[in-house]
Amino acid sequence: MDASTLDTRDIMLRTGVALVPAFAAATYWFGPGVLVNLAVTLGAGVALEAGWVWARFRTFDAVKDASTPVTCALIAIAVPPSLHPGILVFAAAMAVILAKQIYGGIGKNVFNPAMVGYAAALVAFPAHFADWDMLTGATALDALRFREGATVAEVWGQPAFGLVGAHGFEVVNAAALAGGLYLCAVRIANWRMPVAVLASLGACAALGYDNGSSASLGSPMFHWFSGGTMLAAFFIATDPVTSPSSVRAQWIFGIAIGALIYCIRSFGAYPDGIAFAVLLANLAAPALDKAMLRP
Amino acid sequence: MGAAVKRLHLPSVLRYPLLTRMGRCEPRVVSGARVRSGDVLAAGNARTVGLLHAATSGVIELTPAEVLLHPDGLEDALPPLAAEDLAKRVCDAGIVGLGGAGYPTWLKLQQAKRAAVTTLIVNAVECEPDVSADRSLLRGHEDEILAGMRALAAYLEASRTILAPGEGMDVDIADTEVARVTGTYPSGSERTLVRRLLGMELQDRNPTDVGVVVFNVATVFAVHRAWHHGERLVERVVTVQDENCWLRIGHPVRELALPEGEVTVGGPVTGWLARQGESIAKTTRAVTVKTPVESRPCIRCGWCADSCPEGLLPQELFRHINAGHWTGMDALRLDDCVECGACDLACPSRLPLLATFRYGKSERRELERRARDAAVARDRFTARSARLERLRSAERKEREARMASRREWTHRL
């Protein structure tokens, strides 16, 4: 067979490479705790999956596609640095076992495993996720939401804010954007999903932004470069397994994610709504394909 | 690749199966007969298979399924063909489309002549990646191919002749329009070629309907040999693994020096696994040994759909066929699959897509046949029931009439 075509493993390894800049930036801004997260989730995720598939199939073939390390890396960068290892193991187990292997392994899962792991940990251990506050004073997303009548320019003086987005996060987002553009350039990631997510998030933010009055909810630029926006747009929304295949459905899927991120960020109880936005869109993907996928 | 075309030693036996992919043929020789090169061994319907000639001299052994020719090494040959009409000559020479489809060339010539085509295209765009038989032929035999093109163009009175070589082929022939066709696989099919070169969409029509006829370059070469030298089609260039060889039709695949692995006949992508006793047919472009690759689950990346020249959704077809989900399959247009195998090449999970579609097509045909048979049986049963009912009621009426008359008779007594 033609050796020039990438196989599943190549795709996963390249996705891993594309995550390197984001990890480098996160480690620089948030400390080596990010790498501790990575080590713990990687070890736990791979070991759990290997144990599971060995128990079921008596072979390790299902682990060799290198998809689990990518899932684990996405969890590791999404959670606060130096999170309790027990929670990391829990998140990895939820991702690999509950979200992937229970459904029958790679290709058959409905939900993005990394987001299931992250969301499960966030819901089960909310206190530990408040640790972001310890590190940055207050995450910018929270600071912007609970600011009691101050204008955007006034809160911008707080240490939680950076040049255009949240302090530190803006650099991580820029790094993730670079990795994501690489993935799109080599055609591993479908460019429609990130474009749709970012456009929709930007449009929602533009509608809610009136040049920084006290009622204003953050500029498009702020939303693009805060939290996990770029990771979600380029690495999570583009997961081929859990996104639709029809082009029209892909646009709708991306737009839904962007709008949901904005809504949860602005009006919800969680600091960053990415995981829930993605999971809700995942839920709609099969129906979208059923309605729109035609040869 | 690109080196001169090799000639192999005469094999120990030449095998000619009587049931070919184009149709069945009947033997014209008997066991023990001695034949010369060019003798007709078997003949099928002239509209589908045509004639099969001995590729060397030797002794015949006839089995129910094939004609075996044991060469004697003398290479006695028949005198050259002499028919004056090109189509007749091509028919006598047993030439069929050598690009892969095996459509009888004389029939195509006749149809093209009747349709008064104006454009003749010579297809040298390789049909498949890793096959270079057409290329090597074009490189080594430019003059002969030109002669064949001229003969065809003169016969068809075509005003325009286009030679279409594929990527990386530098052809410079005087007085000939050369249009290089580049791009990703698949671009070597007749329909793609007409679209790319002339900008015509064929849809359900044949090229002759729009005044175009396409011949494969190997076919053109065979026409030249038949027209200018009176030769019959008994050998062709075959890409064997990665070198090109002149092989006699009937050369057993087993007698080719091949490495271990799955032997695929007909091209690395669209070919099929070699059977026991498989031999080179007129349409065999390539013999390839594949190392089996392990498949992984589909990750729905959609690369197969991007690669499909027909715009189908291979991943959905694959899922439906594997699930035995035959209803609702019409919407996915399985029958429009041209079996190019581009999806197999694109798939990162290395799924056997083409093989699955071939299975799906035959399975669907089988299901349709069964449904048709069932409908026929049902109609027959209802008709029989109705007929029996009719007979029975007629009998009853007759009996009633008889009884009535008998009653009347007893009354009268």
Side-chain angles (χ1 to χ4, degrees):
Chain A
M1 199 57 64
D2 196 347
S4 66
T5 326
L6 301 181
D7 71 4
T8 310
R9 194 184 155 82
D10 297 331
I11 294 177
M12 295 301 167
L13 293 178
R14 267 155 229 234
T15 310
V17 169
L19 277 169
V20 168
F23 267 96
T27 311
Y28 177 79
W29 284 98
F30 307 132
V34 177
L35 297 180
V36 175
N37 281 354
L38 181 63
V40 175
T41 43
L42 272 185
V46 173
L48 283 165
E49 181 170 57
W52 181 275
V53 299
W54 179 256
R56 274 196 75 192
F57 310 113
R58 294 282 161 220
T59 144
F60 289 120
D61 285 350
V63 192
K64 291 179 189 157
D65 58 34
S67 61
T68 299
V70 172
T71 300
C72 294
L74 287 168
I75 296 175
I77 202 165
V79 299
S82 303
L83 191 65
H84 190 286
I87 302 175
L88 289 173
V89 173
F90 170 77
M94 285 294 150
V96 169
I97 307 296
L98 183 71
K100 195 162 100 184
Q101 290 301 334
I102 293 275
Y103 282 91
I106 185 170
K108 303 194 180 70
N109 47 310
V110 179
F111 297 106
N112 183 294
M115 288 303 98
V116 170
Y118 174 84
L122 177 63
V123 173
F125 305 98
H128 290 81
F129 283 76
D131 284 354
W132 275 120
D133 297 336
M134 307 292 282
L135 201 73
T136 58
T139 68
L141 287 165
D142 271 345
L144 203 63
R145 192 160 18 163
F146 308 116
R147 61 176 191 243
E148 293 167 350
T151 64
V152 172
E154 282 164 1
V155 280
W156 210 266
Q158 294 179 12
F161 294 91
L163 205 58
V164 290
H167 179 77
F169 284 95
E170 57 193 5
V171 184
V172 178
N173 269 296
L177 172 64
L181 289 177
Y182 157 75
L183 280 188
C184 289
V186 296
R187 303 195 177 225
I188 286 175
N190 186 332
W191 60 271
R192 291 188 190 91
M193 263 82 87
V195 168
V197 170
L198 296 179
S200 136
L201 178 61
C204 290
L207 284 176
Y209 187 67
D210 51 7
N211 285 324
S213 79
S214 55
S216 186
L217 290 164
S219 67
M221 208 56 183
F222 172 78
H223 277 283
W224 284 335
F225 287 93
S226 299
T229 306
M230 293 297 171
L231 281 168
F234 285 94
F235 292 86
I236 313 280
T238 55
D239 172 12
V241 178
T242 56
S243 63
S245 306
S246 136
V247 170
R248 261 167 72 210
Q250 285 170 351
W251 285 115
I252 296 177
F253 178 83
I255 290 168
I257 291 182
L260 284 166
I261 290 177
Y262 181 78
C263 291
I264 299 173
R265 272 182 183 177
S266 305
F267 316 115
Y270 290 100
D272 201 352
I274 282 168
F276 300 106
V278 170
L279 292 176
L280 285 169
N282 286 164
L283 200 58
L288 284 173
D289 260 350
K290 185 129 193 144
M292 294 173 184
L293 194 57
R294 295 283 176 276
Chain B
M1 281 200 211
V5 180
K6 245 174 69 167
R7 275 193 186 276
L8 296 188
H9 290 293
L10 198 56
S12 66
V13 64
L14 291 169
R15 317 176 74 113
Y16 302 93
L18 291 169
L19 185 62
T20 69
R21 285 170 73 78
M22 286 85 72
R24 175 178 286 284
C25 29
E26 294 300 324
R28 291 287 169 83
V29 284
V30 290
S31 264
R34 191 175 176 283
V35 294
R36 287 179 291 173
S37 177
D39 270 326
V40 175
L41 296 179
N45 184 343
R47 306 189 74 83
T48 51
V49 192
L51 301 175
L52 195 58
H53 301 94
T56 184
S57 59
V59 180
I60 294 298
E61 180 191 342
L62 206 59
T63 73
E66 54 186 350
V67 179
L68 301 180
L69 170 56
H70 298 281
D72 57 12
L74 298 175
E75 301 278 11
D76 289 341
L78 282 188
L81 296 168
E84 288 302 320
D85 178 68
L86 182 71
K88 177 81 176 73
R89 180 79 72 93
V90 162
C91 182
D92 290 345
I95 299 175
V96 298
L98 299 181
Y103 191 73
T105 302
W106 73 268
L107 201 60
K108 201 180 205 175
L109 273 173
Q110 217 176 44
Q111 285 159 353
K113 180 110 179 152
R114 203 177 308 133
V117 301
T118 51
T119 309
L120 167 72
I121 300 178
V122 177
N123 183 358
V125 184
E126 221 65 63
C127 278
E128 243 177 88
D130 296 336
V131 177
S132 51
D134 290 352
R135 186 182 311 198
S136 69
L137 193 63
L138 189 57
R139 187 157 294 161
H141 301 273
E142 286 172 11
D143 296 338
E144 283 107 316
I145 286 158
L146 197 59
M149 276 166 65
R150 296 232 167 95
L152 285 167
Y155 177 78
L156 294 171
E157 292 162 29
S159 55
R160 189 178 175 197
T161 311
I162 309 173
L163 175 63
E167 208 150 357
M169 280 198 258
D170 286 315
V171 190
D172 192 20
I173 305 179
D175 314 328
T176 311
E177 187 179 345
V178 177
R180 183 169 303 115
V181 176
T182 55
T184 51
Y185 173 76
S187 40
S189 86
E190 195 170 89
R191 309 181 95 72
T192 320
L193 207 56
V194 172
R195 184 170 63 227
R196 297 273 297 268
L197 292 180
L198 306 170
M200 292 184 199
E201 286 291 345
L202 287 176
Q203 275 135 13
D204 311 336
R205 294 172 299 179
N206 285 320
T208 45
D209 298 338
V210 293
V212 183
V213 65
V214 186
F215 289 105
N216 175 266
V217 65
T219 315
V220 173
F221 184 77
V223 167
H224 156 74
R225 301 299 298 180
W227 186 238
H228 295 112
H229 301 274
E231 284 177 15
R232 293 140 184 105
L233 176 63
V234 292
E235 59 176 9
R236 67 161 297 154
V237 180
V238 179
T239 305
V240 180
Q241 195 62 353
D242 51 7
E243 59 182 358
N244 289 300
C245 308
W246 279 107
L247 289 183
R248 289 170 215 255
I249 311 302
H251 194 115
V253 168
R254 212 195 328 194
E255 291 194 30
L256 298 167
L258 291 170
E260 285 289 303
E262 278 180 355
V263 180
T264 305
V265 176
V269 186
T270 64
W272 56 93
L273 285 182
R275 284 173 305 232
Q276 193 72 30
E278 180 96 37
S279 63
I280 301 298
K282 288 179 182 175
T283 51
T284 309
R285 293 187 300 257
V287 178
T288 325
V289 175
K290 276 204 278 200
T291 40
V293 283
E294 234 167 273
S295 295
R296 292 203 167 100
C298 173
I299 53 167
R300 296 162 40 79
C301 63
W303 292 0
C304 51
D306 294 342
S307 76
C308 180
E310 292 292 312
L312 304 179
L313 297 165
Q315 82 274 28
E316 293 295 304
L317 281 167
F318 184 75
R319 212 160 52 87
H320 279 81
I321 293 172
N322 280 337
H325 193 255
W326 304 108
T327 50
M329 202 92 120
D330 288 331
L332 294 171
R333 302 189 356 233
L334 174 62
D335 294 328
D336 287 356
C337 170
V338 295
E339 304 190 11
C340 65
C343 48
D344 270 5
L345 289 178
C347 180
S349 297
R350 308 287 187 252
L351 294 168
L353 296 164
L354 174 56
T356 305
F357 301 156
R358 282 181 173 157
Y359 156 76
K361 281 183 178 178
S362 70
E363 191 70 12
R364 243 159 82 93
R365 269 199 297 275
E366 174 65 16
L367 288 173
E368 271 165 26
R369 192 187 61 77
R370 261 189 243 160
R372 221 171 24 242
D373 287 358
V376 168
R378 191 178 51 240
D379 288 351
R380 202 188 299 128
F381 175 76
T382 24
R384 177 173 182 272
S385 308
R387 178 167 49 85
L388 288 182
E389 183 52 40
R390 233 176 16 251
L391 283 177
R392 239 178 271 134
S393 74
E395 213 172 283
R396 200 162 45 232
K397 265 184 213 141
E398 200 183 313
R399 193 168 59 230
E400 274 163 11
R402 216 168 40 233
M403 296 278 278
S405 73
R406 201 178 293 166
R407 250 195 314 277
E408 212 174 300
W409 186 73
T410 18
H411 269 292
R412 245 187 270 154
L413 268 181

